[in-house]
Structures are given as structure tokens and as C-alpha cells.
Amino acid sequence: MLRNFDNRLNADVIRCLRAMGHGDDLVICDTNFPADSVARHTVTGKLLRMDNLTAAEAVDAILSVFPLDAFVDTPAERMEIVGKPLEVPPVQAEVQQMIDKWEGKPWPMGSVERFAFYDKARKAYAVIVTGETRFYGCFILKKGVIPPKA
């Protein structure tokens, strides 16, 4: 155990988050996403797991150590619902609350059409599958920077 550290973050996830650089994309997905096959195309080439957590719980833990990219308009994106691209289901609203919590302000997610999301996910740094069973619990987070202390 580590002090002042979210114990929902396992060693594989921490290693990945630490290795990522500014602008790298991280996919957080639900249990229905083709996580293993997509992960094989990513920089890491392997699937990471945060089982037994909802998407919002996983994002909450990740954002406790992971800065979002302030140099882009939408450093967090969600998978659009097929046929209803503007609809935001509860699972996505919960993740939006975690983003707003850690950023200290409302920072709306962008949205990506389902098949475009798969394509973008294959180019990501890594994929983390959660225990989220609700549909459309899939997100892409772009890593930002932490400025030096003055």
C-alpha cells in the first residue's frame, strides 16, 4: 500500500499512466467494448484492467494522478450512442462529474461516432477495461502536463 494514493490504481495501470507523455490517448471502456482486440493495436499492445469498478470510479481514480490536456478543446471524449449522438446516458454523465470534479470546473466532453471511436482507440497509448456493464461506458482521455512549481 502507498500513502495518499488511490488503491484502485493497480501496478500495471500506474506503470502505464507514468510512461505516457503529453498528448497520448488513454481509452477507458466498458465490458462490451472489444477491448482485447483493440488493445493489441495500441502502443502498449496489451489490455489493462480495472475490474470491479464502474467507468466513473475508474476515471475518478485515474484523474487523481492524470492531468487532462489543457491545450486541446476536448481532452475527454465519449462514444456517441448510435442514432442519438447528442444523448448523454447516465454512465457518461457520471464520468463528466468526475472530470469536472478533478478539473475544478465544467469541462464538457467531446463525442465520437462509434466506429470512429474504435479507429481512434486503436491508435491510443493503451486501453483499460473496467467492470462497467452499462452500454456506452467508453471514453478517451488525452494526457496533459503538470507545470513546474515556481
Side-chain angles (χ1 to χ4, degrees):
M1 295 296 290
L2 299 171
R3 256 187 267 175
N4 302 318
F5 194 76
D6 194 316
N7 66 4
R8 297 175 292 185
L9 298 169
N10 62 57
D12 291 334
V13 170
I14 285 298
R15 189 176 301 111
C16 174
L17 298 179
R18 180 69 176 105
M20 290 176 69
H22 181 209
D24 283 338
D25 287 336
L26 178 68
V27 176
I28 311 300
C29 65
D30 62 37
T31 57
N32 290 294
F33 187 78
D36 188 64
S37 63
V38 170
R40 291 171 195 239
H41 296 276
T42 64
V43 172
T44 64
K46 68 176 190 166
L47 179 62
L48 302 174
R49 307 190 73 86
M50 292 181 78
D51 296 313
N52 301 318
L53 297 177
T54 66
E57 290 168 337
V59 169
D60 184 36
I62 289 164
L63 291 181
S64 74
V65 297
F66 186 96
L68 289 176
D69 192 343
F71 295 103
V72 298
D73 291 333
T74 55
E77 297 175 309
R78 62 180 181 81
M79 181 189 287
E80 292 178 357
I81 296 176
V82 174
K84 301 177 185 177
L86 299 179
E87 185 175 323
V88 177
V91 64
Q92 294 180 355
E94 291 169 16
V95 167
Q96 182 66 65
Q97 289 176 338
M98 295 303 106
I99 293 166
D100 296 349
K101 167 188 162 183
W102 285 103
E103 293 304 315
K105 64 181 179 184
W107 201 351
M109 283 185 274
S111 65
V112 181
E113 183 274 331
R114 178 181 166 216
F115 292 106
F117 188 98
Y118 293 153
D119 290 340
K120 191 168 186 176
R122 285 183 191 94
K123 297 173 187 165
Y125 191 88
V127 174
I128 299 173
V129 65
T130 67
E132 182 62 68
T133 58
R134 292 174 290 178
F135 297 153
Y136 297 99
C138 300
F139 308 89
I140 298 175
L141 305 177
K142 186 173 291 295
K143 188 174 184 184
V145 296
I146 298 172
K149 295 186 191 289

